[in-house]
Amino acid sequence: IGAQAGASDHLVSEALYLRDPDGLGIEVYADRPRSTWRAVDRQIVMASEPLDFADVVRAAGDTRWEGMPPGTTMGHVHLHVADIAEASAFYHAALGLDRMVWNYPGALFLSAGGYHHHLGLNTWAAGAARPTAEDARLMEWRIHLPARGDVDTVVSRIASAGYDTIAEGDERIVADPWGTSVRLIGG
Protein backbone atom coordinates (compact mmCIF):
# COMPACT_ATOMS: atom_id res chain seq x y z
CA ILE A 1 0.00 0.00 0.00
CA GLY A 2 1.47 3.33 -1.01
CA ALA A 3 1.19 6.57 0.91
CA GLN A 4 -1.75 8.77 0.05
CA ALA A 5 -2.04 12.46 0.78
CA GLY A 6 -4.15 15.41 -0.23
CA ALA A 7 -4.46 19.07 0.60
CA SER A 8 -7.01 21.88 0.54
CA ASP A 9 -7.50 25.52 1.34
CA HIS A 10 -10.85 25.71 3.16
CA LEU A 11 -10.74 29.53 3.48
CA VAL A 12 -11.02 29.17 7.30
CA SER A 13 -8.06 26.79 7.43
CA GLU A 14 -5.34 25.11 5.39
CA ALA A 15 -5.31 21.31 5.52
CA LEU A 16 -3.24 18.28 4.65
CA TYR A 17 -4.97 14.89 4.42
CA LEU A 18 -3.22 11.65 5.32
CA ARG A 19 -4.27 8.02 5.79
CA ASP A 20 -3.25 6.00 8.81
CA PRO A 21 -2.13 2.35 8.44
CA ASP A 22 -5.78 1.21 8.78
CA GLY A 23 -6.88 3.50 5.96
CA LEU A 24 -8.64 6.00 8.21
CA GLY A 25 -8.35 9.65 7.25
CA ILE A 26 -6.42 12.19 9.28
CA GLU A 27 -6.62 15.92 8.58
CA VAL A 28 -3.78 18.06 9.88
CA TYR A 29 -4.74 21.69 9.59
CA ALA A 30 -4.06 25.20 10.76
CA ASP A 31 -6.83 27.72 11.23
CA ARG A 32 -6.68 31.15 9.76
CA PRO A 33 -7.48 33.94 12.24
CA ARG A 34 -11.21 34.09 13.08
CA SER A 35 -11.23 37.73 12.02
CA THR A 36 -10.66 36.56 8.41
CA TRP A 37 -13.60 34.11 8.35
CA ARG A 38 -16.59 35.30 6.36
CA ALA A 39 -20.27 34.50 6.84
CA VAL A 40 -23.09 34.78 4.34
CA ASP A 41 -26.68 34.33 5.51
CA ARG A 42 -25.42 33.08 8.91
CA GLN A 43 -23.22 30.37 7.31
CA ILE A 44 -19.44 30.34 7.61
CA VAL A 45 -18.03 30.43 4.07
CA MET A 46 -15.90 27.34 3.41
CA ALA A 47 -14.55 25.79 0.23
CA SER A 48 -12.13 23.14 -0.99
CA GLU A 49 -9.64 25.05 -3.09
CA PRO A 50 -6.06 24.12 -4.02
CA LEU A 51 -3.57 24.62 -1.21
CA ASP A 52 -0.73 27.07 -1.85
CA PHE A 53 2.13 24.75 -0.84
CA ALA A 54 4.77 27.42 -1.44
CA ASP A 55 2.99 29.70 1.03
CA VAL A 56 2.84 26.90 3.64
CA VAL A 57 6.58 26.25 3.25
CA ARG A 58 7.31 30.01 3.47
CA ALA A 59 5.28 30.25 6.69
CA ALA A 60 7.51 27.59 8.28
CA GLY A 61 10.60 29.69 7.64
CA ASP A 62 13.72 28.02 9.02
CA THR A 63 11.76 26.05 11.64
CA ARG A 64 12.62 22.35 11.52
CA TRP A 65 9.87 19.77 11.99
CA GLU A 66 10.25 18.18 15.41
CA GLY A 67 6.76 16.79 15.90
CA MET A 68 3.47 18.45 16.69
CA PRO A 69 4.00 21.74 18.52
CA PRO A 70 3.05 21.98 22.21
CA GLY A 71 -0.57 23.01 22.57
CA THR A 72 -1.70 21.21 19.41
CA THR A 73 -5.28 20.03 19.89
CA MET A 74 -7.78 17.95 17.98
CA GLY A 75 -9.97 20.60 16.43
CA HIS A 76 -12.67 18.52 14.79
CA VAL A 77 -13.89 15.08 13.83
CA HIS A 78 -15.46 14.02 10.53
CA LEU A 79 -17.96 11.19 10.38
CA HIS A 80 -19.40 9.40 7.37
CA VAL A 81 -23.17 9.20 7.75
CA ALA A 82 -25.90 7.72 5.57
CA ASP A 83 -28.24 10.70 5.72
CA ILE A 84 -27.58 14.39 6.43
CA ALA A 85 -31.12 15.09 7.71
CA GLU A 86 -30.89 12.20 10.18
CA ALA A 87 -27.43 13.33 11.24
CA SER A 88 -28.76 16.87 11.79
CA ALA A 89 -31.67 15.53 13.87
CA PHE A 90 -29.23 13.70 16.14
CA TYR A 91 -26.24 16.05 16.35
CA HIS A 92 -28.00 19.42 16.00
CA ALA A 93 -31.52 18.92 17.39
CA ALA A 94 -30.81 16.27 20.06
CA LEU A 95 -27.20 17.02 21.08
CA GLY A 96 -27.50 20.78 20.51
CA LEU A 97 -24.51 21.54 18.29
CA ASP A 98 -24.89 24.69 16.18
CA ARG A 99 -25.25 24.39 12.41
CA MET A 100 -22.40 26.42 10.88
CA VAL A 101 -22.41 25.30 7.21
CA TRP A 102 -25.40 23.44 5.78
CA ASN A 103 -25.21 24.08 2.02
CA TYR A 104 -21.88 22.35 1.39
CA PRO A 105 -22.47 19.46 -1.06
CA GLY A 106 -23.10 16.24 0.87
CA ALA A 107 -21.99 17.66 4.21
CA LEU A 108 -23.08 19.44 7.36
CA PHE A 109 -20.65 21.27 9.64
CA LEU A 110 -21.55 21.75 13.33
CA SER A 111 -19.86 23.43 16.27
CA ALA A 112 -20.15 25.14 19.62
CA GLY A 113 -19.04 28.67 20.41
CA GLY A 114 -18.93 29.94 16.82
CA TYR A 115 -16.04 27.74 15.63
CA HIS A 116 -16.16 26.80 11.91
CA HIS A 117 -16.78 23.16 12.84
CA HIS A 118 -16.04 20.74 15.62
CA LEU A 119 -17.96 18.06 13.75
CA GLY A 120 -18.14 17.43 10.04
CA LEU A 121 -20.82 15.00 8.86
CA ASN A 122 -20.78 13.83 5.27
CA THR A 123 -22.28 11.32 2.84
CA TRP A 124 -19.18 11.20 0.64
CA ALA A 125 -18.72 7.45 1.29
CA ALA A 126 -22.13 6.68 -0.24
CA GLY A 127 -22.87 2.98 -0.21
CA ALA A 128 -20.17 2.18 2.33
CA ALA A 129 -21.14 -0.61 4.68
CA ARG A 130 -21.53 0.11 8.39
CA PRO A 131 -18.29 -0.96 10.07
CA THR A 132 -18.22 -4.33 11.79
CA ALA A 133 -16.60 -5.14 15.14
CA GLU A 134 -13.48 -6.24 13.21
CA ASP A 135 -13.12 -3.02 11.20
CA ALA A 136 -10.88 -0.11 12.16
CA ARG A 137 -13.21 2.72 13.14
CA LEU A 138 -13.86 5.49 15.60
CA MET A 139 -15.25 3.77 18.69
CA GLU A 140 -16.06 6.85 20.77
CA TRP A 141 -15.50 10.57 20.90
CA ARG A 142 -16.14 13.07 23.68
CA ILE A 143 -18.00 16.31 24.06
CA HIS A 144 -16.81 18.36 27.04
CA LEU A 145 -19.64 20.59 28.25
CA PRO A 146 -19.03 23.60 30.52
CA ALA A 147 -20.94 22.27 33.58
CA ARG A 148 -22.43 19.05 34.96
CA GLY A 149 -25.92 20.53 34.61
CA ASP A 150 -25.32 20.91 30.87
CA VAL A 151 -25.00 17.12 30.58
CA ASP A 152 -28.43 16.74 32.20
CA THR A 153 -29.93 19.26 29.75
CA VAL A 154 -28.47 17.42 26.75
CA VAL A 155 -29.53 14.01 28.10
CA SER A 156 -33.09 15.34 28.45
CA ARG A 157 -33.08 16.49 24.80
CA ILE A 158 -31.60 13.15 23.70
CA ALA A 159 -34.30 11.22 25.58
CA SER A 160 -37.02 13.43 24.03
CA ALA A 161 -35.60 12.56 20.60
CA GLY A 162 -35.88 8.85 21.39
CA TYR A 163 -32.27 7.95 22.13
CA ASP A 164 -31.07 6.05 25.19
CA THR A 165 -28.02 7.00 27.21
CA ILE A 166 -25.77 4.90 29.41
CA ALA A 167 -24.49 6.36 32.68
CA GLU A 168 -20.84 5.93 33.68
CA GLY A 169 -20.42 7.96 36.85
CA ASP A 170 -21.25 11.57 35.99
CA GLU A 171 -20.67 10.93 32.28
CA ARG A 172 -23.29 9.80 29.77
CA ILE A 173 -22.82 7.83 26.56
CA VAL A 174 -25.18 7.86 23.60
CA ALA A 175 -24.77 6.09 20.23
CA ASP A 176 -25.51 8.03 17.07
CA PRO A 177 -27.74 6.42 14.40
CA TRP A 178 -24.66 4.74 12.86
CA GLY A 179 -23.34 3.25 16.09
CA THR A 180 -20.60 5.74 16.98
CA SER A 181 -20.60 6.46 20.71
CA VAL A 182 -20.53 10.03 22.01
CA ARG A 183 -19.45 10.53 25.63
CA LEU A 184 -20.87 13.63 27.34
CA ILE A 185 -18.67 15.07 30.09
CA GLY A 186 -19.61 18.07 32.23
CA GLY A 187 -17.41 20.52 34.06
Short mmCIF file of all heavy atoms in Angstrom, two decimals, residues 16 20 78 96 100 116 119 133 143 161 170 187:
data_model
loop_
_atom_site.label_atom_id
_atom_site.label_comp_id
_atom_site.label_asym_id
_atom_site.label_seq_id
_atom_site.Cartn_x
_atom_site.Cartn_y
_atom_site.Cartn_z
N LEU A 16 -3.88 19.41 5.30
CA LEU A 16 -3.24 18.28 4.65
C LEU A 16 -4.01 17.03 5.07
O LEU A 16 -4.39 16.90 6.24
CB LEU A 16 -1.78 18.14 5.07
CG LEU A 16 -0.87 19.31 4.72
CD1 LEU A 16 0.50 19.10 5.35
CD2 LEU A 16 -0.76 19.46 3.21
N ASP A 20 -4.01 6.79 7.85
CA ASP A 20 -3.25 6.00 8.81
C ASP A 20 -3.10 4.57 8.28
O ASP A 20 -3.66 4.23 7.23
CB ASP A 20 -3.88 6.07 10.21
CG ASP A 20 -5.14 5.24 10.37
OD1 ASP A 20 -5.55 4.51 9.44
OD2 ASP A 20 -5.74 5.32 11.46
N HIS A 78 -14.56 14.23 11.66
CA HIS A 78 -15.46 14.02 10.53
C HIS A 78 -16.02 12.62 10.61
O HIS A 78 -15.27 11.67 10.86
CB HIS A 78 -14.72 14.20 9.19
CG HIS A 78 -14.53 15.62 8.80
ND1 HIS A 78 -15.17 16.18 7.74
CD2 HIS A 78 -13.76 16.60 9.33
CE1 HIS A 78 -14.81 17.45 7.62
NE2 HIS A 78 -13.95 17.72 8.59
N GLY A 96 -27.54 19.33 20.34
CA GLY A 96 -27.50 20.78 20.51
C GLY A 96 -26.34 21.50 19.87
O GLY A 96 -26.11 22.68 20.16
N MET A 100 -23.26 25.34 11.36
CA MET A 100 -22.40 26.42 10.88
C MET A 100 -22.39 26.51 9.36
O MET A 100 -22.33 27.59 8.80
CB MET A 100 -20.97 26.22 11.40
CG MET A 100 -20.87 26.17 12.92
SD MET A 100 -21.60 27.61 13.74
CE MET A 100 -20.44 28.87 13.30
N HIS A 116 -15.68 27.20 13.24
CA HIS A 116 -16.16 26.80 11.91
C HIS A 116 -16.74 25.40 11.91
O HIS A 116 -17.76 25.15 11.28
CB HIS A 116 -15.11 26.97 10.81
CG HIS A 116 -13.80 26.31 11.03
ND1 HIS A 116 -13.60 24.97 10.88
CD2 HIS A 116 -12.61 26.84 11.40
CE1 HIS A 116 -12.32 24.69 11.13
NE2 HIS A 116 -11.71 25.81 11.46
N LEU A 119 -17.48 19.32 14.31
CA LEU A 119 -17.96 18.06 13.75
C LEU A 119 -18.36 18.26 12.30
O LEU A 119 -19.18 19.12 11.99
CB LEU A 119 -19.16 17.54 14.56
CG LEU A 119 -19.79 16.25 14.07
CD1 LEU A 119 -18.80 15.10 14.13
CD2 LEU A 119 -21.04 15.93 14.88
N ALA A 133 -17.45 -5.13 13.94
CA ALA A 133 -16.60 -5.14 15.14
C ALA A 133 -15.13 -5.36 14.78
O ALA A 133 -14.24 -4.98 15.53
CB ALA A 133 -17.08 -6.20 16.12
N ILE A 143 -17.59 14.91 24.06
CA ILE A 143 -18.00 16.31 24.06
C ILE A 143 -17.87 16.78 25.50
O ILE A 143 -18.52 16.24 26.40
CB ILE A 143 -19.44 16.51 23.55
CG1 ILE A 143 -19.55 16.08 22.09
CG2 ILE A 143 -19.86 17.97 23.73
CD1 ILE A 143 -20.95 16.18 21.52
N ALA A 161 -35.76 12.93 22.01
CA ALA A 161 -35.60 12.56 20.60
C ALA A 161 -35.63 11.04 20.40
O ALA A 161 -35.54 10.57 19.27
CB ALA A 161 -34.28 13.13 20.06
N ASP A 170 -20.57 10.34 36.39
CA ASP A 170 -21.25 11.57 35.99
C ASP A 170 -21.31 11.73 34.48
O ASP A 170 -21.92 12.68 33.98
CB ASP A 170 -20.51 12.79 36.58
CG ASP A 170 -20.70 12.90 38.09
OD1 ASP A 170 -21.67 12.32 38.61
OD2 ASP A 170 -19.87 13.58 38.73
N GLY A 187 -18.30 19.87 33.12
CA GLY A 187 -17.41 20.52 34.06
C GLY A 187 -15.95 20.40 33.79
O GLY A 187 -15.40 19.73 33.05
#
